[in-house]
Amino acid sequence: TNYANGSAQTYATTEENGFANGLYNNVPVTAQVTNYLASVNGHANPNALYMVSIGGNDLAWLDAQIDVDPTTYIHSLSNALS
């Protein structure tokens, strides 16, 4: 099953998270991983091959922002992935 969501960012960029111009209709990568783990009772198949690619959409979004401090966003990414 594919839990991916196109144009997803690593971290949600919604107003609730302090970002005025986010991608509101996307499931962030952190939520995609959580959704997958919930579907397999928290235990991923150790024999499966998983590919997770993150960051490209974050950089494209951040590059287009005028009023977002890159440091704040990068800290948000770090916190979301830890």
Side-chain angles (χ1 to χ4, degrees), residues 8-79:
Q9 292 173 282
T10 303
Y11 179 73
T13 52
T14 61
E15 287 188 47
E16 294 86 30
N17 293 322
F19 301 101
N21 299 307
L23 299 173
Y24 298 108
N25 294 323
N26 291 296
V27 178
V29 173
T30 51
Q32 293 174 39
V33 171
T34 299
N35 293 343
Y36 166 70
L37 289 173
S39 75
V40 293
N41 298 316
H43 299 285
N45 180 346
N47 298 313
L49 175 64
Y50 301 95
M51 186 184 120
V52 178
S53 176
I54 60 174
N57 293 325
D58 298 291
L59 293 175
W61 175 81
L62 189 57
D63 187 49
Q65 303 308 303
I66 297 171
D67 59 344
V68 174
D69 175 14
T71 305
T72 301
Y73 186 68
I74 291 167
H75 284 287
S76 298
L77 295 177
S78 176
N79 292 335

